[in-house]
Amino acid sequence: MLLTITADNLKSLLDKLARDSLLVAPVLEDGVTRLKPVKAASEIALDYSNTATSIKDFLFPQSEDLLRFVTDGTLSIEEIKPERAQVAFGIRPCDLASVALMDKVLTTGEYADTHYQARRKNTVLIGLACESPADTCFCTSYGYNPGHSAGADVMLYKDGDQYLAEALSDKGREVVGGPGEGLFKPADEAAGQAVKKAYAEKEVPFGKEVDVEGIDQLLDNFFDDQYWDDVSKKCLGCGTCTYVCPTCHCFLLTDEARGGEGLRFRCWDSCMFANYTKMAGGHNPRPSKKERVRQRFMHKLNYYPHRYHSYLCTGCGRCVAMCPVGLHIAGVIKDVKGVKAHA
Amino acid sequence: MPENPLVPSVATIDRITPETAASDVKTFQVTFDDPAVMERFNYMSGQCAMLSMFGVGESMISITSSPTRRGFLEFSVKRTGRVTDVLHEAVEGQKIGVRGPYGNHFPLEMLKGKNLVFIGGGIGLAPLRSLINNVLDNRKEYGRIDVVYGARSPGDLCFKYEVLENWTKYENAQVHVTVDRGDETWTGPVGFVPAFLEQVNPSPRDAVAVTCGPPIMIKLVLQSLAKLGFTDDQIVTTLEMKMQCGVGKCGRCNVGDKYVCIDGPVFTLSQLKQLPPEF
């Protein structure tokens, strides 16, 4: 059922959510809008194309403790479980889509990542459709769009001075019927559908330039191409692309100990770093930038699609905006198509 | 058993056996402190486990004991890096963390009824030892067995009792040992494993070859096996990559779309040829 909520009532709802649980929302600070825990709706920024960093920071944090150990003479291990529930507000369609891609890696197969799984279960995602996609956005290249709502528990679409709303899961219905009780009104179904359609059909100019169609297959026989030597030369190996990417999920396990006790935690790692694949004996199967740059793009556009049947990119455009040397996935897709067309 | 697959269980090192003259390879026999964890740790030859030295980190190590011999696990470890340095300082009775077993395993069904050629170099014999003892414990199910093993020097040979005495006692089983450089006590063959394998000249007929060792040895052994007439489907080998999680999440051990920790470490040469040459 489609609902509406006024801007004032949405503020009341967010105030309630901030009071009752951990609320994460876009905040403008020093000219950058990013997701942060907030205490009140007044802290939240609503005028942004997308947040500089994604919901990944809160589902798969940069660093998280896994266990505590004591080693004085004997050995005891105590598992650490992820903390309390959270609500994330203002999540854009590309980032909602990225969560589904992370889910495939971290929650399917023989092993589940129990920390990620627990955070997913304890997180309510409130999506916000895109009014004005940035010039780096290309979600439509992958078949998503500015109104894409899959993955949201509640989806909001700004409609004049109010919001169209839809609860899409049990968690979402609990928000609408719980803290949101009395704040939402039923929407006119036809008018609501028209709003959704307008968002789904909204133009994403950069998306028109990036043609992803068939790139997975084009890359099947591209591993040995000279292109990787050329394109990797300008990479600085800084890892920014992997950190801002909402779907990059590589991690490192490491210990910190003092005396007879310590912590084992995991933190983000990056396939752009030289030590990432270096083995104890000194052998490194990806010794230079060429192998590392190739790995990142092959993983997103070929290896992951082989394994999980979708691309590991949602066109959020963060790497396009933030790579210091302009070496990003949209460019690689265009380049590979160009090389193949002239082959 | 911890709920999180990344959390190890506590195990005790019951016995430490130096394998090489320089003691740079040692075999650690361990048991889980919780008998229920020990009971549930069902593994197959070729699988690995993650050993934890708390405060330093973890290393993925192949299980060298055979699943046919229950009640303990054995890991033969070469002193190579931060974690194995600390493990080599461990004493009997010390506690470590163990999680697993991980990965696929040697294809026993494919080996049944076949003549088997095992080719190992140095500590690369560790995963093969699990398989060889497994096969010998079910001797009747397999054909002729040849073990071709080499190390840099006589002092670098591992599992000497089994290699030089125990395995040779089985019917229709031969062990061929070579060293890169002999010493005053060594009366056996001298030479690198690939050339020695060609001298041993095992027949490819109804046979499967399984090889494990340093990358350069594997590369040359694969060429020798081809010369001897073994097809890509008759050759089984293992890959080694840097690992952190062991459960297909952390990203670093992939070769193409395969993760060595869950899809490997065991591959036939045909399977290997489908992957990009990045290992």
Side-chain angles (χ1 to χ4, degrees), chain A residues 69 75 77 79 81 105 108 111-112 114-115 223 249-251 253 255 264 269 276 278 286 294-295 303 306-307, chain B residues 2-5 8 52 54-55 58 95-96 102 242 244 247 249-252 254 256-257 262-263 276 278:
Chain A
F69 57 83
L75 171 62
I77 303 169
E79 267 186 271
K81 306 261 164 101
V105 177
T108 68
Y111 305 93
T114 52
H115 270 233
F223 188 85
H249 53 267
C250 292
F251 64 85
L253 297 171
D255 289 4
R264 175 163 297 163
D269 204 345
Y276 180 68
K278 191 177 169 199
R286 296 180 206 140
R294 176 172 63 192
Q295 161 64 24
Y303 304 155
H306 274 228
R307 229 180 152 87
Chain B
E3 184 195 329
N4 185 339
S52 265
F54 287 91
E58 294 185 296
K95 309 281 186 193
I96 61 170
Y102 295 125
K242 170 90 176 162
Q244 283 274 319
V247 295
K249 316 288 184 207
C250 82
R252 59 181 51 57
N254 75 297
D257 63 0
I262 52 175
D263 303 318
E278 192 174 61

Tab-separated table of all heavy atoms in Angstrom, chain A residues 69 75 77 79 81 105 108 111-112 114-115 223 249-251 253 255 264 269 276 278 286 294-295 303 306-307, chain B residues 2-5 8 52 54-55 58 95-96 102 242 244 247 249-252 254 256-257 262-263 276 278:
chain	number	residue	atom	x	y	z
A	69	PHE	N	41.041	-12.686	23.416
A	69	PHE	CA	41.763	-13.879	23.861
A	69	PHE	C	42.662	-13.565	25.045
A	69	PHE	O	43.092	-12.432	25.235
A	69	PHE	CB	42.563	-14.497	22.710
A	69	PHE	CG	43.556	-13.572	22.049
A	69	PHE	CD1	44.825	-13.372	22.579
A	69	PHE	CD2	43.218	-12.897	20.874
A	69	PHE	CE1	45.731	-12.521	21.976
A	69	PHE	CE2	44.127	-12.037	20.261
A	69	PHE	CZ	45.388	-11.849	20.811
A	75	LEU	N	44.788	-20.832	27.315
A	75	LEU	CA	44.220	-20.057	26.217
A	75	LEU	C	42.711	-20.035	26.354
A	75	LEU	O	42.073	-21.081	26.463
A	75	LEU	CB	44.603	-20.695	24.874
A	75	LEU	CG	43.920	-20.135	23.617
A	75	LEU	CD1	44.255	-18.675	23.384
A	75	LEU	CD2	44.301	-20.956	22.381
A	77	ILE	N	39.205	-18.122	24.586
A	77	ILE	CA	38.726	-17.329	23.457
A	77	ILE	C	37.280	-16.947	23.733
A	77	ILE	O	36.470	-17.804	24.073
A	77	ILE	CB	38.767	-18.160	22.150
A	77	ILE	CG1	40.175	-18.675	21.872
A	77	ILE	CG2	38.264	-17.340	20.968
A	77	ILE	CD1	40.242	-19.707	20.759
A	79	GLU	N	34.065	-15.026	21.945
A	79	GLU	CA	33.516	-14.390	20.747
A	79	GLU	C	32.898	-13.049	21.094
A	79	GLU	O	32.247	-12.910	22.128
A	79	GLU	CB	32.374	-15.255	20.193
A	79	GLU	CG	32.781	-16.239	19.145
A	79	GLU	CD	31.558	-16.938	18.557
A	79	GLU	OE1	31.177	-17.974	19.115
A	79	GLU	OE2	31.007	-16.443	17.557
A	81	LYS	N	30.065	-10.370	19.820
A	81	LYS	CA	28.927	-10.256	18.888
A	81	LYS	C	28.716	-8.783	18.545
A	81	LYS	O	28.982	-7.917	19.371
A	81	LYS	CB	27.656	-10.829	19.545
A	81	LYS	CG	27.829	-12.267	20.063
A	81	LYS	CD	27.269	-13.267	19.073
A	81	LYS	CE	27.760	-14.667	19.375
A	81	LYS	NZ	26.846	-15.544	20.070
A	105	VAL	N	27.769	-12.578	-1.305
A	105	VAL	CA	29.086	-13.065	-0.866
A	105	VAL	C	29.041	-13.478	0.602
A	105	VAL	O	29.530	-14.540	0.974
A	105	VAL	CB	30.165	-11.964	-1.035
A	105	VAL	CG1	31.512	-12.448	-0.499
A	105	VAL	CG2	30.286	-11.561	-2.485
A	108	THR	N	25.596	-16.175	1.630
A	108	THR	CA	25.224	-17.400	0.927
A	108	THR	C	26.402	-18.368	0.879
A	108	THR	O	27.520	-18.003	1.223
A	108	THR	CB	24.754	-17.134	-0.520
A	108	THR	OG1	25.866	-16.676	-1.292
A	108	THR	CG2	23.657	-16.095	-0.578
A	111	TYR	N	29.323	-21.154	4.156
A	111	TYR	CA	29.632	-20.386	5.356
A	111	TYR	C	28.944	-19.034	5.295
A	111	TYR	O	28.906	-18.409	4.252
A	111	TYR	CB	31.134	-20.143	5.467
A	111	TYR	CG	31.966	-21.405	5.426
A	111	TYR	CD1	32.479	-21.878	4.224
A	111	TYR	CD2	32.220	-22.109	6.596
A	111	TYR	CE1	33.248	-23.027	4.194
A	111	TYR	CE2	32.984	-23.262	6.566
A	111	TYR	CZ	33.496	-23.720	5.359
A	111	TYR	OH	34.247	-24.853	5.327
A	112	ALA	N	28.428	-18.578	6.425
A	112	ALA	CA	27.883	-17.232	6.485
A	112	ALA	C	28.805	-16.381	7.346
A	112	ALA	O	29.410	-16.874	8.294
A	112	ALA	CB	26.488	-17.257	7.083
A	114	THR	N	28.846	-14.291	10.062
A	114	THR	CA	27.817	-14.117	11.094
A	114	THR	C	27.726	-12.668	11.587
A	114	THR	O	26.654	-12.221	11.973
A	114	THR	CB	28.056	-15.057	12.283
A	114	THR	OG1	29.407	-14.901	12.731
A	114	THR	CG2	27.830	-16.502	11.872
A	115	HIS	N	28.853	-11.950	11.575
A	115	HIS	CA	28.794	-10.545	12.005
A	115	HIS	C	27.973	-9.713	11.021
A	115	HIS	O	27.114	-8.939	11.414
A	115	HIS	CB	30.212	-9.963	12.113
A	115	HIS	CG	30.793	-10.144	13.472
A	115	HIS	ND1	31.310	-9.116	14.206
A	115	HIS	CD2	30.913	-11.251	14.231
A	115	HIS	CE1	31.730	-9.580	15.362
A	115	HIS	NE2	31.512	-10.879	15.396
A	223	PHE	N	42.073	-11.434	-20.452
A	223	PHE	CA	43.037	-11.465	-19.348
A	223	PHE	C	44.433	-11.068	-19.810
A	223	PHE	O	45.145	-10.344	-19.122
A	223	PHE	CB	43.052	-12.868	-18.736
A	223	PHE	CG	43.869	-12.977	-17.477
A	223	PHE	CD1	43.314	-12.662	-16.233
A	223	PHE	CD2	45.189	-13.405	-17.524
A	223	PHE	CE1	44.065	-12.762	-15.076
A	223	PHE	CE2	45.944	-13.501	-16.360
A	223	PHE	CZ	45.376	-13.183	-15.139
A	249	HIS	N	34.522	-5.741	-0.633
A	249	HIS	CA	34.331	-6.345	0.695
A	249	HIS	C	35.561	-7.118	1.181
A	249	HIS	O	35.454	-7.924	2.095
A	249	HIS	CB	33.122	-7.287	0.636
A	249	HIS	CG	33.247	-8.278	-0.483
A	249	HIS	ND1	32.717	-8.050	-1.730
A	249	HIS	CD2	33.892	-9.441	-0.557
A	249	HIS	CE1	33.039	-9.054	-2.524
A	249	HIS	NE2	33.755	-9.917	-1.832
A	250	CYS	N	36.706	-6.911	0.560
A	250	CYS	CA	37.894	-7.652	0.984
A	250	CYS	C	38.314	-7.224	2.380
A	250	CYS	O	38.222	-6.060	2.712
A	250	CYS	CB	39.046	-7.382	0.024
A	250	CYS	SG	38.708	-8.086	-1.575
A	251	PHE	N	38.732	-8.202	3.172
A	251	PHE	CA	39.143	-7.839	4.532
A	251	PHE	C	40.362	-8.617	4.981
A	251	PHE	O	40.789	-9.589	4.359
A	251	PHE	CB	37.988	-7.995	5.521
A	251	PHE	CG	37.471	-9.406	5.705
A	251	PHE	CD1	38.080	-10.283	6.604
A	251	PHE	CD2	36.361	-9.849	4.997
A	251	PHE	CE1	37.587	-11.570	6.779
A	251	PHE	CE2	35.857	-11.138	5.173
A	251	PHE	CZ	36.484	-12.001	6.062
A	253	LEU	N	42.316	-10.107	8.633
A	253	LEU	CA	42.153	-10.441	10.051
A	253	LEU	C	43.479	-10.141	10.727
A	253	LEU	O	44.529	-10.514	10.209
A	253	LEU	CB	41.824	-11.924	10.218
A	253	LEU	CG	40.522	-12.400	9.597
A	253	LEU	CD1	40.436	-13.920	9.653
A	253	LEU	CD2	39.345	-11.782	10.319
A	255	ASP	N	45.626	-9.340	14.732
A	255	ASP	CA	45.601	-9.403	16.196
A	255	ASP	C	46.295	-8.188	16.785
A	255	ASP	O	47.246	-7.675	16.211
A	255	ASP	CB	46.364	-10.643	16.699
A	255	ASP	CG	45.638	-11.939	16.418
A	255	ASP	OD1	44.580	-11.895	15.759
A	255	ASP	OD2	46.122	-13.000	16.861
A	264	ARG	N	41.264	-9.980	18.393
A	264	ARG	CA	41.385	-10.237	16.956
A	264	ARG	C	40.283	-9.441	16.279
A	264	ARG	O	39.127	-9.515	16.685
A	264	ARG	CB	41.246	-11.724	16.635
A	264	ARG	CG	41.259	-11.979	15.122
A	264	ARG	CD	41.539	-13.418	14.794
A	264	ARG	NE	42.873	-13.793	15.261
A	264	ARG	CZ	43.295	-15.048	15.413
A	264	ARG	NH1	42.494	-16.035	15.126
A	264	ARG	NH2	44.508	-15.305	15.848
A	269	ASP	N	40.528	-4.410	3.658
A	269	ASP	CA	41.799	-4.528	2.967
A	269	ASP	C	41.532	-4.081	1.533
A	269	ASP	O	40.406	-3.722	1.184
A	269	ASP	CB	42.300	-5.975	3.018
A	269	ASP	CG	43.806	-6.065	2.851
A	269	ASP	OD1	44.431	-5.078	2.418
A	269	ASP	OD2	44.373	-7.135	3.145
A	276	TYR	N	48.744	-7.511	-0.342
A	276	TYR	CA	47.446	-8.194	-0.242
A	276	TYR	C	47.552	-9.690	-0.548
A	276	TYR	O	46.928	-10.519	0.115
A	276	TYR	CB	46.488	-7.490	-1.195
A	276	TYR	CG	45.095	-8.040	-1.257
A	276	TYR	CD1	44.239	-7.926	-0.166
A	276	TYR	CD2	44.617	-8.630	-2.417
A	276	TYR	CE1	42.944	-8.402	-0.232
A	276	TYR	CE2	43.325	-9.099	-2.499
A	276	TYR	CZ	42.494	-8.989	-1.405
A	276	TYR	OH	41.223	-9.462	-1.480
A	278	LYS	N	50.688	-11.251	-1.033
A	278	LYS	CA	52.072	-11.709	-0.845
A	278	LYS	C	52.118	-12.801	0.225
A	278	LYS	O	51.621	-12.618	1.325
A	278	LYS	CB	52.954	-10.534	-0.442
A	278	LYS	CG	54.418	-10.877	-0.493
A	278	LYS	CD	55.260	-9.669	-0.148
A	278	LYS	CE	56.696	-10.107	0.064
A	278	LYS	NZ	57.449	-9.117	0.818
A	286	ARG	N	50.311	-11.484	-7.638
A	286	ARG	CA	49.963	-10.187	-8.259
A	286	ARG	C	51.004	-9.147	-7.863
A	286	ARG	O	50.739	-8.246	-7.073
A	286	ARG	CB	48.559	-9.745	-7.824
A	286	ARG	CG	47.473	-10.688	-8.302
A	286	ARG	CD	46.087	-10.237	-7.859
A	286	ARG	NE	45.202	-11.387	-7.773
A	286	ARG	CZ	44.313	-11.569	-6.826
A	286	ARG	NH1	44.156	-10.672	-5.865
A	286	ARG	NH2	43.548	-12.637	-6.825
A	294	ARG	N	43.994	-5.177	-12.940
A	294	ARG	CA	43.227	-6.179	-13.709
A	294	ARG	C	42.322	-6.977	-12.771
A	294	ARG	O	41.147	-7.217	-13.085
A	294	ARG	CB	44.205	-7.108	-14.432
A	294	ARG	CG	43.527	-8.238	-15.190
A	294	ARG	CD	44.519	-9.001	-16.032
A	294	ARG	NE	45.535	-9.653	-15.219
A	294	ARG	CZ	46.658	-10.191	-15.692
A	294	ARG	NH1	46.929	-10.154	-16.967
A	294	ARG	NH2	47.521	-10.767	-14.887
A	295	GLN	N	42.856	-7.372	-11.621
A	295	GLN	CA	42.069	-8.157	-10.662
A	295	GLN	C	40.794	-7.409	-10.262
A	295	GLN	O	39.708	-7.962	-10.250
A	295	GLN	CB	42.916	-8.472	-9.424
A	295	GLN	CG	42.123	-8.874	-8.159
A	295	GLN	CD	41.343	-10.154	-8.310
A	295	GLN	OE1	41.675	-10.997	-9.138
A	295	GLN	NE2	40.287	-10.313	-7.511
A	303	TYR	N	34.589	-12.109	-12.938
A	303	TYR	CA	34.628	-13.209	-11.965
A	303	TYR	C	33.348	-13.277	-11.129
A	303	TYR	O	32.745	-14.335	-10.971
A	303	TYR	CB	35.829	-13.087	-11.013
A	303	TYR	CG	37.193	-12.998	-11.668
A	303	TYR	CD1	38.253	-12.385	-11.011
A	303	TYR	CD2	37.434	-13.534	-12.938
A	303	TYR	CE1	39.524	-12.304	-11.584
A	303	TYR	CE2	38.695	-13.452	-13.519
A	303	TYR	CZ	39.730	-12.832	-12.833
A	303	TYR	OH	40.972	-12.743	-13.398
A	306	HIS	N	30.373	-14.459	-13.046
A	306	HIS	CA	30.421	-15.904	-13.250
A	306	HIS	C	29.868	-16.635	-12.032
A	306	HIS	O	29.182	-17.637	-12.152
A	306	HIS	CB	31.871	-16.367	-13.448
A	306	HIS	CG	32.337	-16.275	-14.871
A	306	HIS	ND1	32.972	-17.293	-15.506
A	306	HIS	CD2	32.264	-15.294	-15.786
A	306	HIS	CE1	33.270	-16.947	-16.745
A	306	HIS	NE2	32.852	-15.729	-16.937
A	307	ARG	N	30.202	-16.128	-10.872
A	307	ARG	CA	29.865	-16.824	-9.631
A	307	ARG	C	28.453	-16.499	-9.153
A	307	ARG	O	27.735	-17.366	-8.671
A	307	ARG	CB	30.857	-16.398	-8.552
A	307	ARG	CG	31.461	-17.538	-7.797
A	307	ARG	CD	32.428	-17.087	-6.739
A	307	ARG	NE	32.425	-18.101	-5.703
A	307	ARG	CZ	33.196	-19.177	-5.713
A	307	ARG	NH1	34.057	-19.382	-6.662
A	307	ARG	NH2	33.091	-20.068	-4.742
B	2	PRO	N	32.258	-22.478	18.065
B	2	PRO	CA	31.835	-21.086	17.903
B	2	PRO	C	30.835	-20.946	16.757
B	2	PRO	O	30.904	-21.693	15.780
B	2	PRO	CB	33.141	-20.362	17.567
B	2	PRO	CG	34.247	-21.308	17.883
B	2	PRO	CD	33.674	-22.683	17.798
B	3	GLU	N	29.941	-19.965	16.909
B	3	GLU	CA	28.925	-19.732	15.877
B	3	GLU	C	29.559	-19.079	14.645
B	3	GLU	O	29.195	-19.364	13.513
B	3	GLU	CB	27.868	-18.800	16.490
B	3	GLU	CG	26.691	-18.506	15.613
B	3	GLU	CD	25.918	-17.309	16.147
B	3	GLU	OE1	25.905	-17.094	17.384
B	3	GLU	OE2	25.341	-16.592	15.330
B	4	ASN	N	30.551	-18.231	14.892
B	4	ASN	CA	31.226	-17.500	13.827
B	4	ASN	C	32.332	-18.368	13.218
B	4	ASN	O	33.228	-18.805	13.922
B	4	ASN	CB	31.822	-16.221	14.439
B	4	ASN	CG	32.455	-15.316	13.411
B	4	ASN	OD1	32.817	-15.751	12.315
B	4	ASN	ND2	32.601	-14.053	13.763
B	5	PRO	N	32.270	-18.619	11.894
B	5	PRO	CA	33.286	-19.499	11.296
B	5	PRO	C	34.703	-18.934	11.392
B	5	PRO	O	35.658	-19.670	11.181
B	5	PRO	CB	32.842	-19.624	9.830
B	5	PRO	CG	31.912	-18.501	9.594
B	5	PRO	CD	31.284	-18.162	10.908
B	8	PRO	N	38.278	-19.560	16.024
B	8	PRO	CA	38.840	-20.910	16.183
B	8	PRO	C	38.439	-21.566	17.499
B	8	PRO	O	37.939	-20.899	18.406
B	8	PRO	CB	40.350	-20.668	16.160
B	8	PRO	CG	40.567	-19.213	16.292
B	8	PRO	CD	39.259	-18.497	16.236
B	52	SER	N	45.945	-20.787	14.578
B	52	SER	CA	46.038	-19.464	15.193
B	52	SER	C	47.132	-19.428	16.234
B	52	SER	O	47.122	-20.220	17.169
B	52	SER	CB	44.733	-19.146	15.948
B	52	SER	OG	43.855	-18.422	15.177
B	54	PHE	N	47.828	-16.768	18.774
B	54	PHE	CA	47.169	-15.536	19.200
B	54	PHE	C	48.170	-14.442	19.524
B	54	PHE	O	49.169	-14.671	20.181
B	54	PHE	CB	46.243	-15.823	20.385
B	54	PHE	CG	45.019	-16.564	19.936
B	54	PHE	CD1	44.991	-17.952	19.933
B	54	PHE	CD2	43.929	-15.879	19.436
B	54	PHE	CE1	43.886	-18.636	19.478
B	54	PHE	CE2	42.811	-16.557	18.973
B	54	PHE	CZ	42.790	-17.931	18.988
B	55	GLY	N	47.861	-13.272	19.018
B	55	GLY	CA	48.771	-12.140	19.160
B	55	GLY	C	49.596	-11.942	17.901
B	55	GLY	O	50.161	-10.877	17.688
B	58	GLU	N	47.149	-15.905	11.898
B	58	GLU	CA	46.748	-17.240	11.465
B	58	GLU	C	47.474	-17.647	10.183
B	58	GLU	O	47.857	-16.800	9.383
B	58	GLU	CB	45.250	-17.271	11.180
B	58	GLU	CG	44.382	-17.072	12.393
B	58	GLU	CD	42.904	-17.238	12.049
B	58	GLU	OE1	42.381	-16.426	11.263
B	58	GLU	OE2	42.279	-18.170	12.566
B	95	LYS	N	48.789	-24.374	24.046
B	95	LYS	CA	47.471	-24.233	23.403
B	95	LYS	C	47.576	-23.340	22.165
B	95	LYS	O	48.254	-22.307	22.209
B	95	LYS	CB	46.469	-23.572	24.360
B	95	LYS	CG	46.376	-24.208	25.733
B	95	LYS	CD	45.551	-25.458	25.709
B	95	LYS	CE	45.350	-25.975	27.122
B	95	LYS	NZ	44.815	-27.341	27.133
B	96	ILE	N	46.881	-23.749	21.125
B	96	ILE	CA	46.772	-22.906	19.925
B	96	ILE	C	45.301	-22.885	19.509
B	96	ILE	O	44.467	-23.572	20.116
B	96	ILE	CB	47.651	-23.418	18.750
B	96	ILE	CG1	47.237	-24.830	18.324
B	96	ILE	CG2	49.132	-23.389	19.133
B	96	ILE	CD1	47.884	-25.297	17.021
B	102	TYR	N	38.936	-26.857	5.766
B	102	TYR	CA	38.565	-26.009	4.647
B	102	TYR	C	38.969	-26.612	3.305
B	102	TYR	O	39.944	-27.340	3.200
B	102	TYR	CB	39.237	-24.645	4.802
B	102	TYR	CG	38.751	-23.882	6.010
B	102	TYR	CD1	39.634	-23.404	6.961
B	102	TYR	CD2	37.386	-23.670	6.211
B	102	TYR	CE1	39.182	-22.698	8.075
B	102	TYR	CE2	36.920	-22.983	7.314
B	102	TYR	CZ	37.822	-22.494	8.246
B	102	TYR	OH	37.365	-21.817	9.337
B	242	LYS	N	47.740	-16.819	-0.749
B	242	LYS	CA	47.598	-16.141	0.536
B	242	LYS	C	46.139	-16.227	0.970
B	242	LYS	O	45.244	-15.997	0.165
B	242	LYS	CB	48.010	-14.683	0.360
B	242	LYS	CG	47.694	-13.786	1.519
B	242	LYS	CD	48.814	-13.744	2.493
B	242	LYS	CE	48.516	-12.762	3.621
B	242	LYS	NZ	49.383	-13.005	4.769
B	244	GLN	N	43.145	-15.501	4.284
B	244	GLN	CA	42.839	-14.867	5.561
B	244	GLN	C	41.620	-15.504	6.208
B	244	GLN	O	41.662	-15.891	7.343
B	244	GLN	CB	42.603	-13.371	5.353
B	244	GLN	CG	43.892	-12.592	5.170
B	244	GLN	CD	44.496	-12.179	6.494
B	244	GLN	OE1	43.793	-11.770	7.394
B	244	GLN	NE2	45.798	-12.297	6.615
B	247	VAL	N	37.024	-19.037	4.113
B	247	VAL	CA	35.637	-19.396	3.840
B	247	VAL	C	35.046	-18.641	2.639
B	247	VAL	O	33.830	-18.489	2.519
B	247	VAL	CB	34.748	-19.205	5.099
B	247	VAL	CG1	35.183	-20.172	6.190
B	247	VAL	CG2	34.814	-17.771	5.636
B	249	LYS	N	35.271	-15.399	1.621
B	249	LYS	CA	34.712	-14.054	1.793
B	249	LYS	C	35.746	-12.943	1.643
B	249	LYS	O	35.432	-11.878	1.124
B	249	LYS	CB	34.080	-13.908	3.190
B	249	LYS	CG	33.224	-15.057	3.673
B	249	LYS	CD	31.906	-15.140	2.936
B	249	LYS	CE	31.027	-16.246	3.516
B	249	LYS	NZ	30.097	-16.764	2.497
B	250	CYS	N	36.961	-13.161	2.122
B	250	CYS	CA	37.896	-12.038	2.306
B	250	CYS	C	38.552	-11.608	1.013
B	250	CYS	O	39.187	-10.554	0.957
B	250	CYS	CB	38.942	-12.365	3.356
B	250	CYS	SG	40.331	-13.355	2.757
B	251	GLY	N	38.445	-12.436	-0.039
B	251	GLY	CA	38.782	-11.954	-1.379
B	251	GLY	C	40.123	-12.301	-1.986
B	251	GLY	O	40.234	-12.318	-3.189
B	252	ARG	N	41.160	-12.576	-1.169
B	252	ARG	CA	42.500	-12.548	-1.780
B	252	ARG	C	42.959	-13.827	-2.467
B	252	ARG	O	43.917	-13.800	-3.220
B	252	ARG	CB	43.542	-12.140	-0.748
B	252	ARG	CG	43.590	-13.077	0.429
B	252	ARG	CD	44.586	-12.658	1.453
B	252	ARG	NE	44.537	-11.288	1.928
B	252	ARG	CZ	43.514	-10.659	2.482
B	252	ARG	NH1	42.351	-11.277	2.592
B	252	ARG	NH2	43.610	-9.438	2.922
B	254	ASN	N	41.641	-15.709	-4.769
B	254	ASN	CA	41.009	-16.128	-6.021
B	254	ASN	C	42.009	-16.284	-7.156
B	254	ASN	O	43.011	-15.582	-7.230
B	254	ASN	CB	39.917	-15.135	-6.439
B	254	ASN	CG	40.510	-13.866	-6.991
B	254	ASN	OD1	41.191	-13.142	-6.297
B	254	ASN	ND2	40.275	-13.613	-8.282
B	256	GLY	N	41.078	-16.277	-11.016
B	256	GLY	CA	39.878	-16.144	-11.831
B	256	GLY	C	38.662	-16.153	-10.914
B	256	GLY	O	38.672	-15.529	-9.858
B	257	ASP	N	37.619	-16.891	-11.298
B	257	ASP	CA	36.405	-16.897	-10.478
B	257	ASP	C	36.411	-17.993	-9.406
B	257	ASP	O	35.404	-18.221	-8.757
B	257	ASP	CB	35.147	-16.991	-11.359
B	257	ASP	CG	35.089	-18.288	-12.144
B	257	ASP	OD1	36.013	-19.111	-12.014
B	257	ASP	OD2	34.121	-18.481	-12.899
B	262	ILE	N	37.974	-22.383	-0.880
B	262	ILE	CA	36.770	-23.225	-0.876
B	262	ILE	C	36.626	-24.082	-2.134
B	262	ILE	O	36.109	-25.185	-2.077
B	262	ILE	CB	35.465	-22.417	-0.636
B	262	ILE	CG1	35.352	-21.230	-1.601
B	262	ILE	CG2	35.366	-21.948	0.798
B	262	ILE	CD1	34.027	-20.477	-1.482
B	263	ASP	N	37.097	-23.586	-3.282
B	263	ASP	CA	36.991	-24.371	-4.520
B	263	ASP	C	38.224	-25.246	-4.722
B	263	ASP	O	38.201	-26.209	-5.472
B	263	ASP	CB	36.846	-23.444	-5.729
B	263	ASP	CG	35.649	-22.518	-5.602
B	263	ASP	OD1	34.595	-22.999	-5.168
B	263	ASP	OD2	35.771	-21.326	-5.913
B	276	PRO	N	42.850	-18.423	-15.316
B	276	PRO	CA	43.931	-17.534	-15.748
B	276	PRO	C	45.235	-17.913	-15.041
B	276	PRO	O	45.195	-18.333	-13.884
B	276	PRO	CB	43.456	-16.143	-15.330
B	276	PRO	CG	42.274	-16.330	-14.472
B	276	PRO	CD	41.765	-17.712	-14.633
B	278	GLU	N	47.465	-17.088	-12.987
B	278	GLU	CA	47.825	-16.059	-12.001
B	278	GLU	C	47.948	-16.700	-10.613
B	278	GLU	O	47.118	-16.483	-9.742
B	278	GLU	CB	46.769	-14.945	-11.997
B	278	GLU	CG	47.208	-13.714	-11.234
B	278	GLU	CD	46.218	-12.563	-11.354
B	278	GLU	OE1	45.061	-12.718	-10.938
B	278	GLU	OE2	46.609	-11.510	-11.873
